[in-house]
Amino acid sequence: MRKKLVAGNWKMYGSLPRNAALLAPIRAAAEGLACDVVVCAPFPYLGQVQSLLTGSKVAWGAQTLSEYAEGAYTGEVSAVMLGEFGCSYVLVGHSERRSLFGESDATVAAKFAAAQAAGIRPVLCLGETLAEREAGQTLAVVGRQLAAVVERVGISAMRAALLAYEPVWAIGTGVTASPAQAQEVHAAIRARLAERDAAVADEMRILYGGSVKPAGAKELFAQADIDGGLVGGAALVADDFLAICQAAG
Ligand code: PEP
């Protein structure tokens, strides 16, 4: 049985008072939740999040990291630095990083490896654009994105990671993939892993992301290969985020 996990991606939103107001009810309610709960905050707030969530059932993480361990990389943040702020997760290869900041499959794989080297669990994001879906390339794109990482780190290293299937056309658009559309891709991702290692495939938690809202979350999470959610907009509203966590059982 894979334990469900719901992760919030705050993107570049937040302020010290807004974060505190958001986290207080989440921290309190997490005690009664059956799923794992994670929030991924902007870098400057990781110290605040650490002090507000230490000792709670909510884990936290960052939204990206540097592929390098240290050096003259102005503006970058290393995995070891994230570890100092108690991060146990980091998003890798989010579609906004790929499309807006030019992260290639190779860069994403290097970031994944850097996170793991520092003991931080990467959440590897995979997903196709609308044009790619319409061209029938969904599984090829997602398979290529996954293979780039597996070839770099090896299949056993995937044990310490999570995957998130996030169709680009569903992120921040209000359009959610239907449960059947999402399940089809999740099952295909798991089958790709199983070609290399059946146990890794079976244990892997594959989150769905893309306009997840309280309405509809239960049906998504009821699909056989959907093990929770990666939530953007709705993660900024405590009641919505908690309702999604509750839908994860
Ligand atoms: C995301 O940022 O990963 C995401 C899925 O955003 P949203 O839920 O707003 O579509």
Side-chain angles (χ1 to χ4, degrees):
M1 264 304 272
R2 297 179 294 267
K3 188 173 182 190
K4 292 223 171 10
L5 183 146
V6 176
N9 172 18
W10 291 1
K11 311 198 190 208
M12 200 174 74
Y13 293 103
S15 70
L16 291 169
R18 273 156 65 193
N19 303 341
L22 178 60
L23 288 177
I26 294 173
R27 182 188 167 121
E31 296 297 322
L33 290 170
C35 65
D36 289 331
V37 182
V38 180
V39 293
C40 295
F43 291 137
Y45 298 132
L46 290 173
Q48 179 199 24
V49 171
Q50 180 179 34
S51 64
L52 291 175
L53 294 181
T54 294
S56 79
K57 285 185 73 179
V58 184
W60 61 94
Q63 300 167 14
T64 186
L65 79 164
S66 173
E67 64 197 274
Y68 304 109
E70 64 177 356
Y73 301 108
T74 302
E76 293 291 283
V77 174
S78 75
V80 169
M81 293 171 187
L82 298 183
E84 287 189 306
F85 287 92
C87 290
S88 22
Y89 295 84
V90 62
L91 305 182
V92 175
H94 189 281
S95 70
E96 287 154 16
R97 301 294 319 171
R98 292 180 192 262
S99 67
L100 302 174
F101 301 99
E103 290 189 9
S104 65
D105 288 342
T107 303
V108 171
K111 290 185 175 208
F112 186 105
Q116 282 201 323
I120 299 177
R121 205 173 274 270
V123 180
L124 171 64
C125 303
L126 314 168
E128 82 288 4
T129 63
L130 185 58
E132 288 164 341
R133 173 163 281 263
E134 287 174 349
Q137 291 170 352
T138 298
L139 301 184
V141 169
V142 168
R144 188 204 73 222
Q145 293 169 337
L146 178 61
V149 172
V150 175
E151 269 148 36
R152 162 104 194 208
V153 299
I155 188 68
S156 339
M158 299 307 289
R159 275 218 155 85
L162 282 83
L163 300 179
Y165 169 56
E166 297 207 301
V168 177
W169 46 272
I171 297 178
T173 58
V175 180
T176 318
S178 71
Q181 278 176 320
Q183 166 59 24
E184 183 189 12
V185 181
H186 281 234
I189 292 170
R190 201 177 301 287
R192 286 288 169 96
L193 290 172
E195 285 165 12
R196 301 189 190 230
D197 188 316
V200 169
D202 196 44
E203 287 164 22
M204 177 62 76
R205 289 190 283 184
I206 309 176
L207 313 181
Y208 169 77
S211 297
V212 178
K213 303 285 180 244
K218 211 175 177 87
E219 208 188 333
L220 276 167
F221 298 158
Q223 303 301 309
D225 291 290
I226 300 186
D227 305 308
L230 178 54
V231 183
L236 299 171
V237 179
D239 285 350
D240 287 354
F241 186 62
L242 287 169
I244 292 167
C245 293
Q246 265 140 14

